[in-house]
Amino acid sequence: MTLYAIIAAVTALITFLMSIVVYKVALRFKLYPSIRDRDVHTRPTPRLGGVAMFVGVVATFGIASQNPFFKDTFSTPGPILAILGAALLIVLIGVADDIWDLDWMIKLAGQFLAAGLIAWLGVQIYSLPIGGLTVGSSWMSAALTVFAIVLVMNAVNFIDGLDGLVAGVGLIANGVFLVYGYLLVREMGQSSYFNLSLLISAVLVGACAGFLPLNWHPAKMFMGDAGALLVGLLMATSAVAITGQIDPSALSANPADAGVVGRSQLLGAFIPIILPFAILIVPLLDFALAVVRRLRAGKSPFSADRLHLHHRLLDMGHSHLHAVLLFYAWTAVIALSCLMFFVFQPYWFALVFLVVGVIVCTVFTLAPLGKRKAVEITAQTAEEGSAVAEDLASYDPLDEAAEERHRDEPISDAVANKALAVDTDSESKKDS
């Protein structure tokens, strides 16, 4: 595990240095697009962070290829070249889209081409660890692989709307997946712990960590479509690659037939397929809601709007930083819970962590709604003609015009404090 930590650190350092270089070049030649209606930021910002992340990934792959511990991984160069070639294609498409705003069909075609390249050169889903189920044919395996990679790329790209969101979620999710993959390989009793899946995860952890300092709110630079699609591509490829490391017969739902991973028994046998989806639960949920929302409106599922989950958190009243931290928290709770189900037995410890984590995240997610409700009640009950009544009149939900103006507007701290002061003063008068 120490070597993977070193690989992640090397990638982070290279990505960070390249991010500074790309940032300065982007400012020097004004390589940044104008602000769009759906954007949250208010000043033009370079979107070429994906280029720096790509350089960090490629450079670290080159360094790892010289390490004797990875000689088996690089002994078959086809999959490695396919991954790097697909990554280059995705980054070029992403940069073109960030600069010229490509048609969604062109972007989708490029995504399928990149995913097809990876599947064609051998990185495929060979088995589904559900009762020892294997994929029926090579064509089915390739099709399933392409679908999974494209799905994850778009899911990750859809949540790329706040400073540090994708980089942080990618860091947490891939960090958990790296630990899980290492434990799984060790549990399977393999002679070598060094494989392609874990290498991708470690490199991606480093790329996200190295870019995050320049992407933290307020961001100096965005990763853009190039970076978000790259993160999604590598996350999906890492999950796909690990299926080649799993012996389906060693994962049995029947404790009597349990193989190498016997201590995990029933639930543990499903974790290898549950965890890759669990670490992406927030992006996948946002993607599913966006597709349904747009299809119901008669629009393309890839048309842009300002109704993603991160936008809704802002509209509820969360600050930019709070919204990002909530995404981090949800990702960490779900991913770590799945990892605990794999590691610990009995399962009660993981179950308690999951339940408590979900409750805490839910409370913090919904907290601004209580603040909005307090303002609305104060607006309705304030003494007519008073200064408070005039200040908060536009937040009265019984006023249709006010409701239309403020339906999606966050409640500012000043407004909330004013309402709280009124409530406190009223209680004081009652007590006296």
Side-chain angles (χ1 to χ4, degrees):
M1 197 65 180
T2 302
L3 181 56
Y4 287 118
I6 294 174
I7 287 173
V10 170
T11 311
L13 178 60
I14 296 173
T15 302
F16 176 70
L17 295 177
M18 283 304 305
S19 296
I20 296 176
V21 172
V22 172
Y23 173 67
K24 292 184 178 296
V25 170
L27 291 183
R28 172 69 177 81
F29 296 99
K30 297 183 179 180
L31 301 176
Y32 43 77
S34 58
I35 298 175
R36 301 164 297 187
D37 292 338
R38 67 178 186 273
D39 288 334
V40 175
H41 63 285
T42 56
R43 60 181 177 82
T45 305
R47 299 175 182 270
L48 300 177
V51 175
M53 298 174 73
F54 174 74
V55 173
V57 169
V58 174
T60 308
F61 264 88
I63 294 172
S65 68
Q66 304 305 309
N67 192 304
F69 288 103
F70 287 102
K71 63 179 180 179
D72 291 338
T73 302
F74 287 89
S75 62
T76 307
I80 303 272
L81 295 176
I83 294 169
L84 296 181
L88 175 61
L89 176 60
I90 283 299
V91 169
L92 291 176
I93 292 174
V95 169
D97 182 56
D98 290 329
I99 296 177
W100 297 297
D101 198 14
L102 300 179
D103 183 79
W104 69 269
M105 294 187 68
I106 297 177
K107 292 190 293 183
L108 188 61
Q111 293 168 20
F112 272 102
L113 184 59
L117 178 62
I118 291 176
W120 179 48
L121 290 180
V123 182
Q124 297 184 9
I125 298 175
Y126 294 108
S127 63
L128 299 176
I130 304 177
L133 178 65
T134 56
V135 179
S137 67
S138 59
W139 283 105
M140 185 183 300
S141 175
L144 189 60
T145 299
V146 170
F147 173 78
I149 294 176
V150 172
L151 173 66
V152 173
M153 278 195 289
N154 282 284
V156 173
N157 192 33
F158 272 33
I159 68 166
D160 184 27
L162 298 179
D163 298 350
L165 183 52
V166 169
V169 168
L171 177 60
I172 295 169
N174 285 281
V176 173
F177 192 78
L178 175 61
V179 174
Y180 156 75
Y182 181 81
L183 294 176
L184 178 64
V185 171
R186 189 177 66 178
E187 187 92 350
M188 298 289 292
Q190 296 188 12
S191 58
S192 175
Y193 300 158
F194 304 100
N195 58 57
L196 180 59
S197 176
L198 300 188
L199 177 61
I200 296 172
S201 294
V203 168
L204 189 51
V205 166
C208 291
F211 179 67
L212 192 55
L214 273 77
N215 193 225
W216 192 253
H217 184 67
K220 288 182 170 54
M221 183 166 59
F222 302 140
M223 66 172 60
D225 279 10
L229 292 174
L230 177 64
V231 171
L233 175 77
L234 294 180
M235 288 181 72
T237 305
S238 177
V240 168
I242 207 169
T243 66
Q245 306 294 323
I246 299 173
D247 178 8
S249 63
L251 295 167
S252 174
N254 184 353
D257 299 331
V260 178
V261 196
R263 70 183 178 87
S264 298
Q265 293 185 2
L266 178 60
L267 185 57
F270 289 86
I271 292 299
I273 195 171
I274 293 175
L275 193 136
F277 287 97
I279 63 176
L280 287 166
I281 188 65
V282 176
L284 290 174
L285 177 61
D286 188 36
F287 177 79
L289 292 175
V291 170
V292 171
R293 178 176 67 245
R294 293 164 184 174
L295 290 178
R296 289 181 60 182
K299 298 180 179 179
S300 161
F302 296 96
S303 60
D305 60 27
R306 197 187 178 282
L307 294 173
H308 290 287
L309 292 178
H310 52 273
H311 292 133
R312 295 180 184 276
L313 288 176
L314 294 178
D315 293 339
M316 286 172 61
H318 288 287
S319 67
H320 193 121
L321 178 60
H322 288 171
V324 171
L325 293 178
L326 278 172
F327 268 82
Y328 291 178
W330 278 108
T331 301
V333 165
I334 296 173
L336 287 174
S337 296
C338 284
L339 182 62
M340 288 178 182
F341 276 115
F342 180 75
V343 173
F344 297 108
Q345 197 169 93
Y347 298 131
W348 66 266
F349 184 81
L351 184 60
V352 169
F353 179 85
L354 175 62
V355 172
V356 173
V358 168
I359 292 174
V360 172
C361 288
T362 301
V363 169
F364 278 96
T365 300
L366 300 180
L369 295 181
K371 183 167 64 175
R372 175 177 288 276
K373 193 65 178 178
V375 172
E376 293 177 351
I377 292 174
T378 304
Q380 293 175 347
T381 58
E383 183 178 350
E384 186 175 354
S386 65
V388 173
E390 293 179 1
D391 289 342
L392 300 181
S394 59
Y395 291 93
D396 185 354
L398 299 181
D399 185 330
E400 293 185 3
E403 170 68 10
E404 183 66 27
R405 286 197 302 273
H406 294 282
R407 180 180 293 117
D408 295 324
E409 179 182 314
I411 298 292
S412 66
D413 290 338
V415 172
N417 292 336
K418 186 175 295 186
L420 179 62
V422 173
D423 290 341
T424 303
D425 185 57
S426 299
E427 291 297 329
S428 299
K429 290 181 178 178
K430 288 180 181 179
D431 294 339
S432 60

